[in-house]
Amino acid sequence: MADINNVIKTDLTIIGSGMAGMAAAVFAVNRGISTTLTGRSSSIHFASGLMDLMGVYPPGIQNLDPWSAIELVRKDIVNHPYSKISNKDISTALVEIIAFLKDQGLFYQRAAYRNIDVITSVGTLKKTHMVPQTMWNGVVAFETKATTLLVDFTGLKIFSAKQMKSSFRSQWPGIKSTCINFPDTEHLEEVLPEHLSRSLDLSANRIKLAERVKPFVKEVKYVGFPAMLGMYKSKEAVEEMEKLLGVPVFEIPTPPVSVPGIRLQESLKKGLEKNVCLHFLPEVVKDVEILSNG
C-alpha cells in the first residue's frame, strides 16, 4: 500500500541508477525536467571508466568505426534503440556527458568519428570510444608504437606490467616494464588500488613515487601506470608526474574494483545531487503501482 503522506511528485521517475539510469538523469535535469532517480549506484565502481560505442558488432567482431557498426545494427534489429535515434543525436549526447563530467572535475577525451584501442592490464586491446583524459596518452603511445615504460607495484595483485610487455612485444617493440615498491609499502604483502590512489592525491607522495621511477626513464617517450594516480585529483596527479619525470604519463585500466569507475560514479552522483531538479532515492525498486493518471 502506498504511503500517501510520503509521496514524491516529479515529471519523470528513472528506475535504476547504474550507468544508463545516471545518464538518463543527466539528460533530464539538463532540460529542467523534475526527476526522481531510484536505485543503488554501487555497480558503476566495477566499471573500467571507459565508455564504449558499438565496439563489438557483429558478435566477436571489434570495430574502429562505430557508425558503420550502428548502421548494421539498425538493419539487423529493426526495433533496436539505435534505430530510433540519429548518429548526430548520439554524438551530441556523448558531448553532453563529457561536459557534465567536466563540470565535476572529471575530464574525458575521444576521437570524434572512430573508436580507439586501449591496452588493458591483462595484455589485451579493447575497442572503446571515450576514455578518461588521464588514459589518453596511452592511446597515442600505442598508436605510434612509441618507446614506453609500464610501471608495476610490488604486491599489486590486479596488474602485471611484465605480462603486458610479453603480450604486446610483437606489435609494440618499444615496450618496456619494471616493478617497484610503492613508497612506504615495503612492509606489506599486498597493496590495494584505493589506498594507493588516495595517497597520490598528495603531492609529497607523487614526488616520492617519481624518485623511484626516474632511474628507469631512459630513452623512453611515455610512462604508463595502473589507473590509480589519485582518487579525487587524478588530473593534477598526472600533470605533476609528467613534470617530475619529464615525459608524458598515462593510466592503464585495471579490473574491478576500478579507481576510474569510482571516480565516474562519484562525479555523476555529485553533479546530479546538487541539481534542484533531481530527487535521489537510493532504494531498490521492487514494485510499481500506478495511483492515478493525474
Side-chain angles (χ1 to χ4, degrees), residues 61-83:
I61 304 299
Q62 296 196 53
N63 299 293
L64 276 174
D65 182 356
W67 309 109
S68 294
I70 288 171
E71 286 302 322
L72 284 177
V73 170
R74 289 169 177 152
K75 291 178 181 178
D76 295 344
I77 311 171
V78 177
N79 292 319
H80 192 279
Y82 280 143
S83 298

Side-chain angles (χ1 to χ4, degrees), residues 178-247:
T178 189
C179 185
I180 63 173
N181 286 311
F182 191 88
D184 304 319
T185 66
E186 291 83 356
H187 61 291
L188 300 176
E189 293 185 3
E190 181 177 1
V191 293
L192 301 177
E194 300 96 312
H195 295 164
L196 301 189
S197 63
R198 286 186 170 86
S199 74
L200 290 175
D201 278 337
L202 301 177
S203 178
N205 292 327
R206 300 171 200 158
I207 293 171
K208 290 180 183 179
L209 176 59
E211 289 173 349
R212 297 196 177 191
V213 176
K214 189 70 174 178
F216 302 96
V217 184
K218 297 177 181 178
E219 299 181 357
V220 165
K221 294 185 177 179
Y222 292 86
V223 176
F225 292 90
M228 51 195 72
L229 295 181
M231 179 64 77
Y232 302 108
K233 298 181 179 180
S234 57
K235 184 175 183 291
E236 294 92 328
V238 168
E239 290 175 349
E240 184 171 10
M241 290 298 294
E242 289 180 335
K243 291 179 181 178
L244 292 168
L245 296 176
V247 294

Side-chain angles (χ1 to χ4, degrees), residues 46 98 101 160 208 232 240:
F46 287 99
I98 290 176
L101 293 172
S160 174
K208 290 180 183 179
Y232 302 108
E240 184 171 10

